[in-house]
Amino acid sequence: MAAKKEVRMVAVGDVQVEKITKQDIVQWGRKDAGKVKDLLWQTKLNEAEVEAAKHVGNMWGAQRFAETLLVIYIIEESDACREKAQRAINQCAELCAGIRSACEPAGIIMSWFGAETKDWPMREVVRVHAVAAEAFCRLAQAFVELKNKSFVSGAYHCRQAFGLYEEALAGLNGSKRCKQDLVLRDSVCFGIGFGRLVASLIPEKFRWFAELLGFHGDREVGMKTLQSVYEAEGLSSVEAGILVAAITFFLEEDTEEALRISLSLLNKWPDSVLLLNFRATLEKHRGHVREAAELLERSVQIASPYPQLAINLGYALSDVYWMTLRFEEAIPLQRTFFNKSNRPNFKAFCGWKLGLALYVTDEARHPETIRQISDIYRRVVTEHVDERESYDRFARRKCQAFLDNPTLSDLDVILLPINWLVELKQFDLALSRLGRAQHLMEKGTPSADQRALYDYLFGAAEVGKENWETGCLHLRRAARAPVEDETWIPPYANLHLLLAALKQQDLASARAHLLAAQTTPSLFDFDGKQRVLTKNAEQKLIKLEKGHPDPSP
């Protein structure tokens, strides 16, 4: 007589896998997990960790515990926090693998030897839950690897995660019980939507390789799936809402919809520093700097029990202060970030801004101030050489120039911060400051780079105010300027000319400026941002050209 297959008993909490009921999944996967998520979104991180630790005996609790420690690691960025998060992720993945094994049917070969599949009503539901939870663990592992610049390992775990989410989706659609499980639907649909969306954002020249590895992007499918998760108001609703709002705002330029989603989330979670910071980012990019500053000030206050979180949010707040010439308020926040943040990135750019703020606020140029600035800049060029962002390249170049000649011209002191006034759409304030710069230029002999920077900033501000003729005249000068050090100015001038032509529906000019923006040197300060904005503008131009078959005058 053939022996029956012994199904390995895997305990989930105090219940064996075979005895898990629909009510258990609702309790563990929605109610208990919901308490943890509530605490996370209320920025009560310590309480969330304690609550999550109570439920690590079951798969859903283990996932929330791993998620909580991952969030804490993202905030603290310390080796100790990374190790704790890594341990929790591994334990959750092992638990999920064990549950999957217990739920898998006997294979054909094993059946030949007399093994039989022991079935029970919730077997497939629990199995698909285990697949989805394991997918989350792989995604969390990928994030840890990518954060530590282990890109090959990170991509491998991403591929594993998205493959598991696809497997979970097949299970979800293949079982009536699975379809009715709202906890499972929330988890799987978020993973699928996130995967499709992320893959769709891979640059086109790398997309063929990504597809070869199994990453299949589709922004429309990703957005629709995430929108459904957001509207269902499950455990992943907030994450889905943020992703939908971000893409809607930055890529689809539907400002009202993005603001509606972010406000809806913030009304539900008014003490979430993540949501406050996200809303501040939206406000900043649409030129509402006062609102952005107020939101960030509140987030810093809420984050005060968590030093690293408060320091990093303080740096975001200092950006708004510094970019709007509120240097005295920016200095202490920048100094704290530069000296005390565990975050490995943005130190070079922060150091340059801190030094410039100290220089501007000390009109007497005391020797002690110059010494402080030199010390900061020396640290930038020696300790932060590995930072690869183009903002950091710009910062190190400026810091080295100051160390070589520890002074700044009055014209540079006025012009340099105006670039960020224009970025924040503070066009009137920018033009006011440019009036002072023009007076200095008339009195002195500005360099070619200074003239080009003035023309670029004046043109960008005027175009921002839709004074097209004056703005484009100055931008064309900047695009043709014989710059020496500030090689980023011509490509950005062409980018602004391209955007101005698109707004005026001048498609022939837009195509010409697009070509000029694309045929710039491959490496210059702020190159990554220029490429992204140029690519977005190209997509707009293609859409307009499809609606205008003959764009010539």
Side-chain angles (χ1 to χ4, degrees):
M1 182 176 177
K4 290 189 176 181
K5 179 188 176 185
E6 288 292 328
V7 178
R8 184 156 62 95
M9 300 300 182
V10 181
V12 183
D14 297 326
V15 181
Q16 293 174 339
V17 173
E18 295 168 310
K19 296 182 179 179
I20 295 175
T21 66
K22 181 178 179 181
Q23 289 71 28
D24 291 329
I25 294 176
V26 171
Q27 179 65 47
W28 298 334
R30 185 186 298 176
K31 294 181 180 178
D32 293 343
K35 292 177 186 177
V36 178
K37 295 286 276 195
D38 283 350
L39 291 168
L40 281 176
W41 291 121
Q42 293 174 54
T43 320
K44 296 180 179 179
L45 305 180
N46 296 334
E47 294 93 326
E49 182 178 357
V50 171
E51 180 65 31
K54 297 177 183 177
H55 310 289
V56 291
N58 69 68
M59 174 171 60
W60 297 269
Q63 181 179 344
R64 294 284 82 82
F65 186 60
E67 180 182 25
T68 302
L69 293 184
L70 179 64
V71 170
I72 293 172
Y73 163 56
I74 292 169
I75 291 168
E76 293 293 329
E77 302 199 43
S78 68
D79 291 340
C81 289
R82 186 185 72 244
E83 289 171 5
K84 284 178 66 176
Q86 185 71 71
R87 204 160 41 241
I89 292 167
N90 291 341
Q91 289 170 352
C92 182
E94 289 173 8
L95 180 58
C96 295
I99 293 172
R100 285 184 64 190
S101 176
C103 295
E104 290 288 353
I108 296 174
I109 295 177
M110 293 302 297
S111 298
W112 290 347
F113 292 93
E116 294 182 5
T117 300
K118 187 173 181 179
D119 207 356
W120 65 94
M122 296 296 291
R123 180 183 67 79
E124 181 63 8
V125 175
V126 174
R127 186 191 72 80
V128 179
H129 267 288
V131 174
E134 188 176 351
F136 165 82
C137 293
R138 300 305 174 201
L139 197 58
Q141 181 64 48
F143 189 88
V144 172
E145 298 289 354
L146 292 171
K147 195 163 181 59
N148 285 279
K149 299 183 179 179
S150 299
F151 300 113
V152 174
S153 179
Y156 170 74
H157 285 291
C158 270
R159 177 65 191 92
Q160 279 193 317
F162 295 148
L164 286 167
Y165 275 124
E166 293 287 351
E167 181 183 341
L169 179 63
L172 178 69
N173 292 330
S175 165
K176 184 177 180 181
R177 285 182 184 272
C178 289
K179 287 181 181 179
Q180 294 172 344
D181 190 320
L182 298 180
V183 176
L184 181 58
R185 178 171 291 278
D186 172 89
S187 175
V188 174
C189 289
F190 177 79
I192 289 293
F194 179 72
R196 298 284 172 81
L197 181 60
V198 169
S200 74
L201 299 177
I202 296 172
E204 282 187 13
K205 65 179 179 179
F206 301 121
R207 199 167 295 168
W208 67 271
F209 185 65
E211 290 177 353
L212 188 66
L213 296 176
F215 294 96
H216 300 292
D218 189 321
R219 186 194 295 182
E220 185 177 354
V221 170
M223 287 288 283
K224 284 182 178 179
T225 306
L226 290 171
Q227 182 76 33
S228 69
V229 175
Y230 162 67
E231 292 173 352
E233 298 186 347
L235 290 182
S236 305
S237 176
V238 177
E239 297 95 321
I242 289 174
L243 286 169
V244 170
I247 298 300
T248 301
F249 185 86
F250 291 106
L251 296 184
E252 299 180 358
E253 297 190 341
D254 187 345
T255 302
E256 295 305 317
E257 177 63 10
L259 293 174
R260 184 192 68 78
I261 293 173
S262 65
L263 182 60
S264 173
L265 292 171
L266 204 50
N267 285 339
K268 188 175 181 181
W269 309 101
D271 292 332
S272 169
V273 294
L274 176 60
L275 292 173
L276 286 166
N277 193 28
F278 177 66
R279 177 72 183 211
T281 301
L282 298 185
E283 296 291 0
K284 185 173 76 170
H285 278 83
R286 70 190 192 117
H288 293 199
V289 292
R290 181 181 298 175
E291 291 85 345
E294 290 173 354
L295 289 162
L296 287 169
E297 286 164 354
R298 186 166 162 228
S299 70
V300 171
Q301 185 179 13
I302 292 170
S304 58
Y306 311 99
Q308 283 298 311
L309 180 59
I311 288 170
N312 293 333
L313 288 168
Y315 178 60
L317 176 59
S318 78
D319 255 3
V320 177
Y321 289 157
W322 191 92
M323 291 177 178
T324 51
L325 313 183
R326 296 163 63 179
F327 297 118
E328 291 85 355
E329 295 166 276
I331 286 171
L333 298 170
Q334 290 173 336
R335 198 190 296 276
T336 301
F337 178 84
F338 188 71
N339 292 319
K340 296 183 178 180
S341 176
N342 290 335
R343 181 178 291 177
N345 300 321
F346 307 115
K347 293 286 186 70
F349 194 46
C350 175
W352 172 72
K353 289 186 293 184
L354 172 58
L356 183 60
L358 290 169
Y359 193 92
V360 170
T361 52
D362 183 5
E363 295 183 1
R365 313 291 188 247
H366 291 100
E368 177 60 23
T369 302
I370 301 301
R371 187 191 65 77
Q372 283 186 45
I373 296 170
S374 296
D375 288 345
I376 293 167
Y377 284 3
R378 198 169 290 110
R379 284 181 58 190
V380 168
V381 299
T382 57
E383 297 178 14
H384 303 291
V385 293
D386 292 333
E387 294 187 45
R388 303 297 176 86
E389 290 290 333
S390 52
Y391 279 88
D392 299 316
R393 294 201 302 267
F394 171 85
R396 284 194 296 273
R397 178 167 63 80
K398 289 294 185 183
C399 290
Q400 187 60 60
F402 186 87
L403 291 173
D404 294 340
N405 181 21
T407 186
L408 290 172
S409 71
D410 291 340
L411 185 57
D412 282 337
V413 168
I414 291 175
L415 284 176
L416 287 171
I418 297 176
N419 193 29
W420 284 275
L421 281 177
V422 172
E423 185 173 305
L424 295 181
K425 298 180 173 60
Q426 305 304 296
F427 302 125
D428 289 328
L429 181 56
L431 290 169
S432 172
R433 299 280 294 178
L434 285 165
R436 294 176 57 188
Q438 183 181 16
H439 178 68
L440 290 174
M441 289 172 67
E442 290 171 350
K443 289 174 60 178
T445 307
S447 67
D449 282 19
Q450 288 172 331
R451 285 187 180 279
L453 182 56
Y454 172 85
D455 278 323
Y456 165 71
L457 296 172
F458 192 91
E462 289 287 4
V463 163
K465 291 173 66 68
E466 298 190 356
N467 296 326
W468 308 115
E469 186 175 351
T470 303
C472 289
L473 173 64
H474 283 271
L475 286 171
R476 281 192 288 270
R477 286 181 189 167
R480 296 192 298 266
V483 293
E484 296 180 7
D485 296 322
E486 308 303 332
T487 56
W488 59 273
I489 293 176
Y492 268 82
N494 277 308
L495 172 61
H496 278 276
L497 286 166
L498 165 60
L499 296 174
L502 288 174
K503 287 182 179 179
Q504 297 175 88
Q505 300 279 305
D506 184 352
L507 305 188
S509 295
R511 178 58 65 179
H513 292 307
L514 172 64
L515 181 62
Q518 290 174 329
T519 55
T520 51
S522 59
L523 188 66
F524 55 90
D525 294 336
F526 322 123
D527 54 345
K529 183 177 178 182
Q530 192 264 0
R531 283 196 293 269
V532 171
L533 293 175
T534 301
K535 187 62 183 176
N536 292 345
E538 181 183 23
Q539 292 173 350
K540 292 179 198 172
L541 177 58
I542 291 171
K543 289 180 181 179
L544 286 171
E545 286 177 335
K546 287 181 178 178
H548 298 74
D550 183 13
S552 59

